[in-house]
Amino acid sequence: MKRKILLADDTTFMREMLKSALDPEKFQIVGEATDGAMAVEYYKEKKPDLMILDINMPKMNGIDALTEVIKYDSKANVIMCSDQKYENMIVMAIKRGAKDFIIKPFTSSDVITAVNKVFDIDDE
């Protein structure tokens, strides 16, 4: 059974990078949100196993989107994505329920490590 993943990042390039890191045999991308409000809406609609959420986004930032998602589903698996300069935001995100974070610019293995950690998968 493939795990369903929702990507939320306002840049197409970053969403493409995330998609290319995830094995299509194991993971199905169920949606791509381009702002925080859309991320929350898609989460409720698509009920993914995991959401990879950018912190810096239009309409609603990733922290607020995370807060809404956790309010809706306390068991939500969310990995935050951010560049180094938002370190305090990352700490806040973890406190608010994010399972992990990926620092931009990331490599495919950074993404896979974080995803495997959330799903408790050993690296093959």
Short mmCIF file of all heavy atoms in Angstrom, two decimals, residues 30-92:
data_model
loop_
_atom_site.label_atom_id
_atom_site.label_comp_id
_atom_site.label_asym_id
_atom_site.label_seq_id
_atom_site.Cartn_x
_atom_site.Cartn_y
_atom_site.Cartn_z
N VAL A 30 -0.75 13.04 -3.31
CA VAL A 30 -2.20 13.21 -3.44
C VAL A 30 -2.61 14.66 -3.67
O VAL A 30 -3.76 14.94 -3.96
CB VAL A 30 -2.97 12.63 -2.23
CG1 VAL A 30 -2.84 11.11 -2.19
CG2 VAL A 30 -2.52 13.25 -0.92
N GLY A 31 -1.66 15.57 -3.53
CA GLY A 31 -2.00 16.97 -3.77
C GLY A 31 -0.79 17.85 -3.61
O GLY A 31 0.20 17.47 -2.99
N GLU A 32 -0.90 19.04 -4.21
CA GLU A 32 0.16 20.04 -4.09
C GLU A 32 -0.49 21.38 -3.78
O GLU A 32 -1.24 21.92 -4.59
CB GLU A 32 0.93 20.16 -5.41
CG GLU A 32 1.72 18.91 -5.76
CD GLU A 32 2.54 19.08 -7.02
OE1 GLU A 32 3.14 20.15 -7.21
OE2 GLU A 32 2.56 18.14 -7.83
N ALA A 33 -0.23 21.87 -2.59
CA ALA A 33 -0.79 23.15 -2.17
C ALA A 33 0.25 24.24 -2.37
O ALA A 33 1.44 24.01 -2.17
CB ALA A 33 -1.20 23.07 -0.70
N THR A 34 -0.21 25.41 -2.78
CA THR A 34 0.73 26.51 -3.06
C THR A 34 0.64 27.63 -2.02
O THR A 34 1.36 28.62 -2.11
CB THR A 34 0.47 27.09 -4.46
OG1 THR A 34 -0.92 27.44 -4.55
CG2 THR A 34 0.82 26.09 -5.54
N ASP A 35 -0.23 27.46 -1.03
CA ASP A 35 -0.25 28.40 0.09
C ASP A 35 -0.77 27.67 1.33
O ASP A 35 -1.28 26.56 1.22
CB ASP A 35 -1.07 29.66 -0.23
CG ASP A 35 -2.56 29.38 -0.43
OD1 ASP A 35 -3.21 28.84 0.49
OD2 ASP A 35 -3.07 29.69 -1.51
N GLY A 36 -0.62 28.31 2.48
CA GLY A 36 -0.97 27.66 3.74
C GLY A 36 -2.44 27.31 3.88
O GLY A 36 -2.81 26.25 4.38
N ALA A 37 -3.31 28.21 3.43
CA ALA A 37 -4.75 27.97 3.53
C ALA A 37 -5.15 26.76 2.70
O ALA A 37 -5.92 25.90 3.13
CB ALA A 37 -5.52 29.21 3.08
N MET A 38 -4.57 26.66 1.51
CA MET A 38 -4.84 25.53 0.61
C MET A 38 -4.31 24.24 1.24
O MET A 38 -4.95 23.18 1.13
CB MET A 38 -4.16 25.78 -0.74
CG MET A 38 -4.58 24.82 -1.84
SD MET A 38 -3.53 24.97 -3.31
CE MET A 38 -4.15 26.46 -4.06
N ALA A 39 -3.17 24.31 1.91
CA ALA A 39 -2.58 23.14 2.57
C ALA A 39 -3.55 22.56 3.59
O ALA A 39 -3.76 21.35 3.65
CB ALA A 39 -1.25 23.52 3.23
N VAL A 40 -4.17 23.42 4.39
CA VAL A 40 -5.11 22.97 5.42
C VAL A 40 -6.34 22.34 4.76
O VAL A 40 -6.79 21.26 5.14
CB VAL A 40 -5.53 24.15 6.35
CG1 VAL A 40 -6.62 23.73 7.32
CG2 VAL A 40 -4.31 24.68 7.09
N GLU A 41 -6.86 23.03 3.74
CA GLU A 41 -8.03 22.55 3.00
C GLU A 41 -7.76 21.18 2.38
O GLU A 41 -8.55 20.25 2.52
CB GLU A 41 -8.31 23.56 1.89
CG GLU A 41 -9.73 23.61 1.40
CD GLU A 41 -9.86 24.75 0.40
OE1 GLU A 41 -9.75 25.93 0.80
OE2 GLU A 41 -10.05 24.45 -0.80
N TYR A 42 -6.62 21.05 1.70
CA TYR A 42 -6.25 19.78 1.05
C TYR A 42 -6.05 18.68 2.08
O TYR A 42 -6.38 17.54 1.83
CB TYR A 42 -4.96 19.95 0.24
CG TYR A 42 -5.15 20.51 -1.14
CD1 TYR A 42 -6.34 21.12 -1.53
CD2 TYR A 42 -4.13 20.45 -2.07
CE1 TYR A 42 -6.51 21.65 -2.80
CE2 TYR A 42 -4.28 20.97 -3.35
CZ TYR A 42 -5.47 21.58 -3.70
OH TYR A 42 -5.62 22.09 -4.95
N TYR A 43 -5.48 19.04 3.23
CA TYR A 43 -5.25 18.03 4.26
C TYR A 43 -6.58 17.41 4.68
O TYR A 43 -6.71 16.19 4.76
CB TYR A 43 -4.53 18.61 5.49
CG TYR A 43 -4.18 17.52 6.47
CD1 TYR A 43 -2.97 16.84 6.38
CD2 TYR A 43 -5.09 17.09 7.43
CE1 TYR A 43 -2.67 15.78 7.22
CE2 TYR A 43 -4.82 16.03 8.27
CZ TYR A 43 -3.60 15.38 8.17
OH TYR A 43 -3.32 14.32 8.98
N LYS A 44 -7.57 18.26 4.94
CA LYS A 44 -8.89 17.79 5.39
C LYS A 44 -9.56 16.96 4.31
O LYS A 44 -10.21 15.96 4.60
CB LYS A 44 -9.77 18.98 5.77
CG LYS A 44 -9.28 19.68 7.02
CD LYS A 44 -10.12 20.90 7.33
CE LYS A 44 -9.66 21.56 8.62
NZ LYS A 44 -10.41 22.80 8.90
N GLU A 45 -9.39 17.38 3.07
CA GLU A 45 -10.04 16.73 1.94
C GLU A 45 -9.38 15.39 1.59
O GLU A 45 -10.05 14.40 1.35
CB GLU A 45 -9.89 17.70 0.75
CG GLU A 45 -10.75 17.45 -0.44
CD GLU A 45 -10.44 18.52 -1.48
OE1 GLU A 45 -10.75 19.71 -1.24
OE2 GLU A 45 -9.87 18.14 -2.53
N LYS A 46 -8.06 15.38 1.55
CA LYS A 46 -7.33 14.21 1.04
C LYS A 46 -6.83 13.26 2.11
O LYS A 46 -6.43 12.15 1.82
CB LYS A 46 -6.17 14.68 0.15
CG LYS A 46 -6.70 15.47 -1.04
CD LYS A 46 -5.61 16.04 -1.89
CE LYS A 46 -6.10 16.96 -2.98
NZ LYS A 46 -7.10 16.39 -3.87
N LYS A 47 -6.83 13.71 3.37
CA LYS A 47 -6.38 12.89 4.49
C LYS A 47 -5.10 12.11 4.20
O LYS A 47 -5.07 10.88 4.22
CB LYS A 47 -7.51 11.94 4.93
CG LYS A 47 -8.75 12.70 5.34
CD LYS A 47 -9.85 11.80 5.83
CE LYS A 47 -11.06 12.55 6.35
NZ LYS A 47 -11.44 13.76 5.64
N PRO A 48 -4.02 12.84 3.91
CA PRO A 48 -2.75 12.15 3.59
C PRO A 48 -2.13 11.49 4.82
O PRO A 48 -2.47 11.84 5.95
CB PRO A 48 -1.87 13.31 3.10
CG PRO A 48 -2.38 14.49 3.86
CD PRO A 48 -3.87 14.29 3.96
N ASP A 49 -1.21 10.56 4.57
CA ASP A 49 -0.47 9.93 5.66
C ASP A 49 0.62 10.89 6.17
O ASP A 49 1.10 10.75 7.29
CB ASP A 49 0.19 8.64 5.17
CG ASP A 49 -0.85 7.65 4.66
OD1 ASP A 49 -1.81 7.38 5.41
OD2 ASP A 49 -0.73 7.18 3.52
N LEU A 50 0.99 11.83 5.30
CA LEU A 50 2.05 12.77 5.64
C LEU A 50 1.90 14.04 4.81
O LEU A 50 1.53 13.97 3.64
CB LEU A 50 3.42 12.13 5.32
CG LEU A 50 4.65 13.04 5.38
CD1 LEU A 50 4.97 13.46 6.80
CD2 LEU A 50 5.86 12.35 4.78
N MET A 51 2.19 15.17 5.44
CA MET A 51 2.26 16.43 4.70
C MET A 51 3.65 17.02 4.88
O MET A 51 4.16 17.06 6.00
CB MET A 51 1.20 17.42 5.19
CG MET A 51 1.33 18.78 4.52
SD MET A 51 -0.14 19.84 4.60
CE MET A 51 -0.29 20.16 6.33
N ILE A 52 4.25 17.44 3.78
CA ILE A 52 5.53 18.15 3.84
C ILE A 52 5.17 19.61 3.60
O ILE A 52 4.63 19.97 2.55
CB ILE A 52 6.53 17.62 2.81
CG1 ILE A 52 6.81 16.13 3.07
CG2 ILE A 52 7.84 18.44 2.89
CD1 ILE A 52 7.76 15.46 2.08
N LEU A 53 5.42 20.44 4.59
CA LEU A 53 4.90 21.80 4.65
C LEU A 53 6.00 22.84 4.75
O LEU A 53 6.82 22.79 5.67
CB LEU A 53 3.97 21.87 5.87
CG LEU A 53 3.24 23.13 6.22
CD1 LEU A 53 2.27 23.56 5.13
CD2 LEU A 53 2.47 22.95 7.54
N ASP A 54 6.00 23.77 3.83
CA ASP A 54 6.96 24.88 3.85
C ASP A 54 6.53 25.88 4.92
O ASP A 54 5.34 26.09 5.13
CB ASP A 54 6.98 25.54 2.47
CG ASP A 54 8.05 26.61 2.34
OD1 ASP A 54 9.04 26.57 3.09
OD2 ASP A 54 7.90 27.49 1.48
N ILE A 55 7.49 26.50 5.59
CA ILE A 55 7.14 27.48 6.61
C ILE A 55 6.74 28.81 5.99
O ILE A 55 5.76 29.43 6.39
CB ILE A 55 8.31 27.68 7.61
CG1 ILE A 55 8.39 26.46 8.55
CG2 ILE A 55 8.14 28.97 8.42
CD1 ILE A 55 9.43 26.54 9.63
N ASN A 56 7.48 29.25 4.99
CA ASN A 56 7.27 30.58 4.43
C ASN A 56 6.36 30.51 3.21
O ASN A 56 6.81 30.19 2.12
CB ASN A 56 8.64 31.17 4.07
CG ASN A 56 8.61 32.66 4.03
OD1 ASN A 56 7.63 33.29 4.41
ND2 ASN A 56 9.69 33.25 3.56
N MET A 57 5.06 30.78 3.40
CA MET A 57 4.10 30.69 2.30
C MET A 57 3.09 31.82 2.34
O MET A 57 2.83 32.37 3.40
CB MET A 57 3.35 29.35 2.37
CG MET A 57 4.16 28.19 1.86
SD MET A 57 3.14 26.76 1.51
CE MET A 57 2.46 26.41 3.10
N PRO A 58 2.49 32.13 1.19
CA PRO A 58 1.46 33.18 1.17
C PRO A 58 0.16 32.75 1.84
O PRO A 58 -0.05 31.57 2.09
CB PRO A 58 1.25 33.44 -0.33
CG PRO A 58 1.76 32.24 -1.03
CD PRO A 58 2.78 31.60 -0.14
N LYS A 59 -0.70 33.73 2.09
CA LYS A 59 -2.05 33.58 2.68
C LYS A 59 -2.03 33.13 4.13
O LYS A 59 -2.66 33.73 4.97
CB LYS A 59 -2.95 32.66 1.85
CG LYS A 59 -3.42 33.31 0.58
CD LYS A 59 -4.54 32.53 -0.06
CE LYS A 59 -4.92 33.20 -1.38
NZ LYS A 59 -5.45 32.25 -2.34
N MET A 60 -1.32 32.03 4.40
CA MET A 60 -1.21 31.54 5.78
C MET A 60 0.16 30.87 5.85
O MET A 60 0.48 30.05 5.01
CB MET A 60 -2.31 30.51 6.05
CG MET A 60 -2.28 29.91 7.44
SD MET A 60 -3.38 28.46 7.61
CE MET A 60 -4.97 29.23 7.71
N ASN A 61 0.98 31.25 6.84
CA ASN A 61 2.31 30.63 6.88
C ASN A 61 2.21 29.18 7.37
O ASN A 61 1.17 28.73 7.84
CB ASN A 61 3.29 31.47 7.72
CG ASN A 61 2.98 31.44 9.20
OD1 ASN A 61 2.65 30.40 9.77
ND2 ASN A 61 3.09 32.59 9.84
N GLY A 62 3.31 28.47 7.21
CA GLY A 62 3.34 27.04 7.54
C GLY A 62 3.06 26.74 9.00
O GLY A 62 2.46 25.73 9.33
N ILE A 63 3.49 27.64 9.89
CA ILE A 63 3.25 27.43 11.32
C ILE A 63 1.75 27.47 11.62
O ILE A 63 1.21 26.61 12.32
CB ILE A 63 3.99 28.50 12.18
CG1 ILE A 63 5.51 28.45 11.94
CG2 ILE A 63 3.66 28.32 13.67
CD1 ILE A 63 6.25 27.26 12.48
N ASP A 64 1.07 28.46 11.05
CA ASP A 64 -0.38 28.56 11.26
C ASP A 64 -1.11 27.40 10.60
O ASP A 64 -2.07 26.86 11.16
CB ASP A 64 -0.92 29.90 10.73
CG ASP A 64 -0.41 31.08 11.56
OD1 ASP A 64 0.05 30.85 12.70
OD2 ASP A 64 -0.46 32.22 11.08
N ALA A 65 -0.65 27.01 9.42
CA ALA A 65 -1.25 25.87 8.72
C ALA A 65 -1.07 24.60 9.56
O ALA A 65 -2.01 23.82 9.74
CB ALA A 65 -0.63 25.70 7.34
N LEU A 66 0.14 24.41 10.09
CA LEU A 66 0.42 23.26 10.96
C LEU A 66 -0.52 23.25 12.17
O LEU A 66 -1.11 22.22 12.50
CB LEU A 66 1.88 23.32 11.44
CG LEU A 66 2.25 22.34 12.56
CD1 LEU A 66 2.31 20.90 12.03
CD2 LEU A 66 3.59 22.71 13.18
N THR A 67 -0.68 24.41 12.80
CA THR A 67 -1.55 24.53 13.97
C THR A 67 -2.98 24.11 13.62
O THR A 67 -3.61 23.36 14.37
CB THR A 67 -1.51 25.98 14.51
OG1 THR A 67 -0.15 26.34 14.74
CG2 THR A 67 -2.29 26.13 15.81
N GLU A 68 -3.48 24.57 12.49
CA GLU A 68 -4.83 24.22 12.03
C GLU A 68 -4.97 22.72 11.78
O GLU A 68 -5.95 22.10 12.16
CB GLU A 68 -5.18 24.97 10.74
CG GLU A 68 -5.44 26.45 10.94
CD GLU A 68 -6.63 26.71 11.85
OE1 GLU A 68 -7.71 26.17 11.60
OE2 GLU A 68 -6.45 27.45 12.84
N VAL A 69 -3.96 22.15 11.11
CA VAL A 69 -3.99 20.72 10.78
C VAL A 69 -3.97 19.87 12.06
O VAL A 69 -4.74 18.93 12.19
CB VAL A 69 -2.83 20.35 9.82
CG1 VAL A 69 -2.61 18.84 9.76
CG2 VAL A 69 -3.11 20.90 8.43
N ILE A 70 -3.11 20.23 13.01
CA ILE A 70 -3.01 19.47 14.27
C ILE A 70 -4.31 19.60 15.07
O ILE A 70 -4.76 18.66 15.71
CB ILE A 70 -1.78 19.93 15.10
CG1 ILE A 70 -0.47 19.62 14.36
CG2 ILE A 70 -1.78 19.30 16.50
CD1 ILE A 70 -0.08 18.15 14.21
N LYS A 71 -4.94 20.78 15.01
CA LYS A 71 -6.23 20.99 15.67
C LYS A 71 -7.28 20.05 15.07
O LYS A 71 -8.08 19.45 15.77
CB LYS A 71 -6.67 22.44 15.45
CG LYS A 71 -7.25 23.09 16.69
CD LYS A 71 -7.77 24.49 16.41
CE LYS A 71 -6.64 25.50 16.29
NZ LYS A 71 -7.16 26.85 15.97
N TYR A 72 -7.21 19.90 13.75
CA TYR A 72 -8.15 19.05 13.02
C TYR A 72 -7.86 17.57 13.24
O TYR A 72 -8.75 16.76 13.38
CB TYR A 72 -8.08 19.41 11.53
CG TYR A 72 -8.83 18.46 10.62
CD1 TYR A 72 -10.22 18.53 10.50
CD2 TYR A 72 -8.15 17.50 9.87
CE1 TYR A 72 -10.91 17.65 9.68
CE2 TYR A 72 -8.83 16.62 9.04
CZ TYR A 72 -10.21 16.71 8.95
OH TYR A 72 -10.89 15.83 8.13
N ASP A 73 -6.56 17.21 13.23
CA ASP A 73 -6.13 15.82 13.36
C ASP A 73 -4.88 15.77 14.23
O ASP A 73 -3.78 16.02 13.75
CB ASP A 73 -5.85 15.24 11.96
CG ASP A 73 -5.24 13.84 12.00
OD1 ASP A 73 -5.15 13.24 13.09
OD2 ASP A 73 -4.84 13.35 10.93
N SER A 74 -5.06 15.44 15.50
CA SER A 74 -3.93 15.49 16.44
C SER A 74 -2.84 14.47 16.11
O SER A 74 -1.72 14.58 16.58
CB SER A 74 -4.43 15.27 17.87
OG SER A 74 -5.02 13.99 17.96
N LYS A 75 -3.18 13.47 15.29
CA LYS A 75 -2.17 12.46 14.92
C LYS A 75 -1.52 12.75 13.57
O LYS A 75 -0.82 11.90 13.01
CB LYS A 75 -2.82 11.07 14.88
CG LYS A 75 -3.29 10.59 16.24
CD LYS A 75 -3.89 9.19 16.13
CE LYS A 75 -4.39 8.67 17.44
NZ LYS A 75 -5.56 9.42 17.94
N ALA A 76 -1.75 13.93 13.03
CA ALA A 76 -1.21 14.29 11.71
C ALA A 76 0.31 14.16 11.67
O ALA A 76 0.99 14.52 12.64
CB ALA A 76 -1.61 15.72 11.35
N ASN A 77 0.82 13.62 10.57
CA ASN A 77 2.26 13.56 10.35
C ASN A 77 2.64 14.73 9.44
O ASN A 77 2.23 14.78 8.29
CB ASN A 77 2.65 12.26 9.63
CG ASN A 77 2.54 11.07 10.55
OD1 ASN A 77 2.95 11.12 11.70
ND2 ASN A 77 2.00 9.98 10.04
N VAL A 78 3.40 15.66 10.00
CA VAL A 78 3.80 16.83 9.23
C VAL A 78 5.30 17.01 9.37
O VAL A 78 5.84 17.01 10.48
CB VAL A 78 3.08 18.11 9.71
CG1 VAL A 78 3.50 19.32 8.87
CG2 VAL A 78 1.56 17.94 9.66
N ILE A 79 5.97 17.14 8.22
CA ILE A 79 7.39 17.49 8.20
C ILE A 79 7.47 18.92 7.68
O ILE A 79 6.91 19.24 6.63
CB ILE A 79 8.19 16.55 7.26
CG1 ILE A 79 8.17 15.11 7.79
CG2 ILE A 79 9.63 17.05 7.11
CD1 ILE A 79 8.83 14.10 6.86
N MET A 80 8.14 19.78 8.42
CA MET A 80 8.29 21.17 8.00
C MET A 80 9.51 21.31 7.10
O MET A 80 10.50 20.60 7.27
CB MET A 80 8.45 22.10 9.21
CG MET A 80 7.30 22.07 10.19
SD MET A 80 5.67 22.43 9.51
CE MET A 80 5.80 24.19 9.19
N CYS A 81 9.42 22.27 6.22
CA CYS A 81 10.50 22.55 5.28
C CYS A 81 10.86 24.02 5.44
O CYS A 81 9.97 24.87 5.45
CB CYS A 81 9.92 22.34 3.88
SG CYS A 81 11.04 21.54 2.80
N SER A 82 12.13 24.32 5.59
CA SER A 82 12.50 25.71 5.78
C SER A 82 13.97 25.92 5.52
O SER A 82 14.75 24.99 5.56
CB SER A 82 12.18 26.11 7.22
OG SER A 82 12.69 27.39 7.48
N ASP A 83 14.33 27.18 5.28
CA ASP A 83 15.77 27.43 5.22
C ASP A 83 16.25 27.83 6.61
O ASP A 83 15.46 28.14 7.50
CB ASP A 83 16.16 28.42 4.11
CG ASP A 83 15.39 29.71 4.16
OD1 ASP A 83 15.04 30.13 5.28
OD2 ASP A 83 15.13 30.29 3.10
N GLN A 84 17.55 27.78 6.78
CA GLN A 84 18.20 27.91 8.08
C GLN A 84 17.79 29.16 8.85
O GLN A 84 17.72 29.15 10.05
CB GLN A 84 19.72 27.92 7.84
CG GLN A 84 20.54 27.49 9.01
CD GLN A 84 20.38 26.01 9.37
OE1 GLN A 84 20.60 25.15 8.55
NE2 GLN A 84 20.02 25.73 10.59
N LYS A 85 17.48 30.25 8.13
CA LYS A 85 17.26 31.51 8.85
C LYS A 85 15.96 31.52 9.67
O LYS A 85 15.71 32.42 10.43
CB LYS A 85 17.31 32.69 7.90
CG LYS A 85 16.25 32.74 6.83
CD LYS A 85 16.43 34.02 6.02
CE LYS A 85 15.41 34.15 4.92
NZ LYS A 85 15.83 33.51 3.67
N TYR A 86 15.14 30.48 9.52
CA TYR A 86 13.90 30.42 10.30
C TYR A 86 14.02 29.43 11.45
O TYR A 86 13.05 28.76 11.79
CB TYR A 86 12.72 30.02 9.40
CG TYR A 86 12.42 31.05 8.35
CD1 TYR A 86 12.69 30.80 7.02
CD2 TYR A 86 11.84 32.27 8.69
CE1 TYR A 86 12.42 31.75 6.04
CE2 TYR A 86 11.56 33.22 7.73
CZ TYR A 86 11.85 32.96 6.41
OH TYR A 86 11.57 33.89 5.45
N GLU A 87 15.20 29.36 12.04
CA GLU A 87 15.45 28.37 13.08
C GLU A 87 14.44 28.43 14.23
O GLU A 87 13.95 27.40 14.69
CB GLU A 87 16.87 28.52 13.62
CG GLU A 87 17.37 27.24 14.24
CD GLU A 87 18.86 27.27 14.55
OE1 GLU A 87 19.62 27.83 13.74
OE2 GLU A 87 19.22 26.74 15.59
N ASN A 88 14.10 29.64 14.67
CA ASN A 88 13.13 29.77 15.76
C ASN A 88 11.75 29.25 15.34
O ASN A 88 11.00 28.70 16.14
CB ASN A 88 13.03 31.22 16.25
CG ASN A 88 12.64 32.19 15.14
OD1 ASN A 88 12.87 31.92 13.96
ND2 ASN A 88 12.08 33.32 15.51
N MET A 89 11.43 29.40 14.04
CA MET A 89 10.17 28.89 13.51
C MET A 89 10.16 27.36 13.55
O MET A 89 9.14 26.75 13.83
CB MET A 89 9.96 29.32 12.05
CG MET A 89 9.79 30.81 11.90
SD MET A 89 8.20 31.30 12.59
CE MET A 89 7.54 32.15 11.20
N ILE A 90 11.31 26.75 13.27
CA ILE A 90 11.42 25.30 13.28
C ILE A 90 11.16 24.77 14.69
O ILE A 90 10.40 23.82 14.88
CB ILE A 90 12.79 24.83 12.74
CG1 ILE A 90 12.91 25.18 11.25
CG2 ILE A 90 12.99 23.35 12.96
CD1 ILE A 90 14.30 25.08 10.67
N VAL A 91 11.77 25.42 15.67
CA VAL A 91 11.57 25.03 17.08
C VAL A 91 10.08 25.15 17.43
O VAL A 91 9.49 24.25 18.03
CB VAL A 91 12.43 25.91 18.03
CG1 VAL A 91 12.08 25.65 19.48
CG2 VAL A 91 13.91 25.63 17.77
N MET A 92 9.46 26.25 17.00
CA MET A 92 8.04 26.46 17.26
C MET A 92 7.20 25.36 16.58
O MET A 92 6.25 24.84 17.16
CB MET A 92 7.62 27.83 16.74
CG MET A 92 6.25 28.28 17.24
SD MET A 92 5.67 29.77 16.39
CE MET A 92 6.94 30.93 16.84
#
